Amino acid sequence: MLRPRIPVNPLPTGTVAPLAHVVVVPEAEPRREPSLKSCEHDAPAAPARATAQLTPGSAFALAAGGGAVVLVVGAILVSMLLAVAITGVSVAVIAVVLRLLVKDLQKGR
């Protein structure tokens, strides 16, 4: 019904790729009969990872570093909130002043 139209170049340059796609089906592995002689595993055991040993000094340094990060991020967020609050107050003051000026100009007519 709906077929995509593939443009055909009358004089191809470079390598020409075929339009048909070939699908390769992998062959199935031969089935092995289970034996009672030995237990064979296909996947090797994962290597053991080295665990991180925390000494009291390194744990204290880690906690102090985390606390410092929290304090710095908190200070940045508070300063941004303060900047938004100051901007809002200044816009409100300007709005009140402009309203008074417009009202005064309308009275003077």
Side-chain angles (χ1 to χ4, degrees), residues 21-41:
H21 295 282
V22 178
V23 178
V24 178
V25 178
E27 294 182 16
E29 291 185 18
R31 188 171 181 183
R32 292 185 285 180
E33 294 296 323
S35 64
L36 298 176
K37 295 178 186 175
S38 66
C39 181
E40 296 178 17
H41 297 287

Side-chain angles (χ1 to χ4, degrees), residues 54-65:
L54 285 180
T55 62
S58 63
F60 178 74
L62 186 64

Side-chain angles (χ1 to χ4, degrees), residues 43-57:
R49 291 186 179 182
T51 57
Q53 301 275 334
L54 285 180
T55 62

Side-chain angles (χ1 to χ4, degrees), residues 8-99:
V8 178
N9 191 359
L11 300 172
T13 57
T15 359
V16 179
L19 295 178
H21 295 282
V22 178
V23 178
V24 178
V25 178
E27 294 182 16
E29 291 185 18
R31 188 171 181 183
R32 292 185 285 180
E33 294 296 323
S35 64
L36 298 176
K37 295 178 186 175
S38 66
C39 181
E40 296 178 17
H41 297 287
D42 291 336
R49 291 186 179 182
T51 57
Q53 301 275 334
L54 285 180
T55 62
S58 63
F60 178 74
L62 186 64
V69 167
V70 167
L71 288 177
V72 168
V73 170
I76 291 171
L77 291 176
V78 167
S79 65
M80 288 171 54
L81 180 65
L82 184 62
V84 169
I86 290 172
T87 304
V89 169
S90 65
V91 167
V93 168
I94 290 171
V96 169
V97 169
L98 284 177
R99 184 176 175 193

